[in-house]
Amino acid sequence: MKLKETVDVSSFLSATEKCAGDVFFHTPEGDILNVKSLLSRYVVVSVCKPGELQKAKVVCTNEKDYSLLSDYLRPDPEDQV
């Protein structure tokens, strides 16, 4: 899944706190950040440019967590292969 174009990143990161499993943010450069980590959140907010956020992939280790984050996510066409 990928972030929607108009997502409020702060709100998205707050929503990840409710997830049962880990939530990973895969950047286009190949970095993988666990957004349940405070340090990783800081990196996502401070380093990633707004246009870059939507290029990253969001991966939940618990399938049910996708429903908790559904307001912030859109399907990734590459996952539909």
Side-chain angles (χ1 to χ4, degrees):
M1 304 291 271
K2 295 203 176 204
L3 289 174
K4 291 181 178 176
E5 297 289 327
T6 59
V7 72
D8 174 18
V9 176
S10 178
S11 178
F12 165 71
L13 294 174
S14 293
T16 63
E17 293 175 10
K18 299 173 187 163
C19 293
D22 288 322
V23 180
F24 294 100
F25 189 80
H26 294 237
T27 68
E29 293 80 21
D31 300 310
I32 301 173
L33 304 166
N34 184 341
V35 293
K36 291 188 86 175
S37 155
L38 192 55
L39 179 59
S40 292
R41 288 172 185 229
Y42 175 76
V43 172
V44 168
V45 170
S46 65
V47 176
C48 294
K49 299 173 187 129
E52 296 294 313
L53 291 174
Q54 285 72 27
K55 294 179 185 176
K57 183 181 264 190
V58 176
V59 178
C60 298
T61 58
N62 184 330
E63 286 292 320
K64 293 179 182 177
D65 290 337
Y66 286 112
S67 64
L68 291 172
L69 302 176
S70 64
D71 290 342
Y72 308 97
L73 301 176
R74 62 184 167 86
D76 183 0
E78 294 178 14
D79 290 343
Q80 312 264 328
V81 178

